[in-house]
Amino acid sequence: MKFLVALVILALASSFTSAYDPSPLQDLCVAIDEPKNAVFVNGKFCKNPNDTVAEDFFFSGLNVARDTNNAIGINVTTLNVDQIPGLNTLGITLARIDYAPNGGLNPPHTHPRATETIFVTEGKLLAGFVTSNPNKHFRKTLYPGDVFVFPIGLIHFQINIAKTKGVAFSSLNSQNPGIITIGNALFGPNPPINPDVLAKAFMLDQDVVKDLQNKFANVN
């Protein structure tokens, strides 16, 4: 089984090697005239090829289960250029997602710069995404061995509906896919969004909005 997992992860990753990031790897990039105040973006400075070693392309330990004892019952182990320097400029990010039994949730979120593919190895996941207007909901129950795709930029989620723990491996075709968790982004940004705006947008009482803002205030 471990060999199968490794084989699928490698297959998913290799499928994206020709899909380099075609767009910026950051949310903001304000131009400045003075170079000494500049910040290097869109990748990292490159190591001299003569100094490159095999370890620059290696990581060990993605088979280790992670702790899911938290409010939403999930633990995401991201594997990007910070863990594998050799990924720089290749347009790939990997992740292991651990779900607690009976409702471990990867809450609704988006990746503004990447399409995501997940491969389930344990548990029973209900996964879905929502298209832009008109908002159509695509959902599927996933079992070990199943693969599901979340198109770039669309809101998506997974929840483990099994009585046992869940595990999935994720591949994203960006070096820096970004993540916007919907609840955190709307009810927990700094500074906060005016409660009037959220109350009207979600057709909620302002007291409910303020309560949600208090709950999300320390999440980000």
Side-chain angles (χ1 to χ4, degrees):
M1 184 62 183
K2 291 182 180 179
F3 175 77
L4 175 61
V5 171
L7 183 63
V8 171
I9 291 174
L10 290 174
L12 291 173
S14 63
S15 69
F16 288 131
T17 55
S18 61
Y20 298 102
D21 285 292
S23 57
L25 292 173
Q26 68 287 325
D27 293 327
L28 304 173
C29 184
V30 179
I32 60 172
D33 294 327
E34 181 50 63
K36 72 178 182 180
N37 294 324
V39 177
F40 187 77
V41 297
N42 269 34
K44 298 191 175 184
F45 290 109
C46 297
K47 186 177 186 179
N48 187 324
N50 294 330
D51 298 328
T52 299
V53 294
E55 282 70 20
D56 292 330
F57 303 90
F58 174 79
F59 177 87
S60 180
L62 207 60
N63 61 314
V64 178
R66 268 63 176 184
D67 182 18
T68 57
N69 186 24
N70 52 58
I72 57 176
I74 193 174
N75 193 318
V76 179
T77 304
T78 303
L79 199 58
N80 56 26
V81 67
D82 292 326
Q83 288 75 40
I84 305 180
L87 285 177
N88 192 34
T89 75
L90 295 183
I92 300 171
T93 297
L94 300 174
R96 174 190 170 113
I97 312 171
D98 288 85
Y99 308 82
N102 295 314
L105 173 67
N106 194 359
H109 62 282
T110 73
H111 301 292
R113 294 177 287 275
T115 291
E116 179 178 14
T117 302
I118 65 167
F119 169 65
V120 180
T121 61
E122 296 184 49
K124 178 181 177 183
L125 303 184
L126 175 63
F129 65 87
V130 180
T131 62
S132 54
N133 292 338
N135 303 127
K136 185 173 181 179
H137 180 199
F138 293 84
R139 62 188 182 275
K140 186 75 175 176
T141 300
L142 307 177
Y143 300 88
D146 289 347
V147 172
F148 200 67
V149 177
F150 304 109
I152 184 171
L154 299 186
I155 295 173
H156 58 282
F157 67 90
Q158 309 105 44
I159 184 169
N160 183 22
I161 56 178
K163 296 180 180 179
T164 56
K165 70 177 182 177
V167 179
F169 291 87
S170 166
S171 179
L172 302 102
N173 64 338
S174 173
Q175 181 170 321
N176 184 13
I179 183 169
I180 301 172
T181 305
I182 308 305
N184 300 21
L186 292 173
F187 295 101
N190 184 23
I193 298 173
N194 190 310
D196 293 339
V197 173
L198 296 174
K200 190 168 185 178
F202 290 95
M203 294 180 281
L204 296 173
D205 186 273
Q206 278 202 36
D207 289 338
V208 175
V209 170
K210 291 177 182 178
D211 180 56
L212 288 169
Q213 288 179 319
N214 288 333
K215 290 178 179 178
F216 279 96
N218 299 316
V219 173
N220 289 323

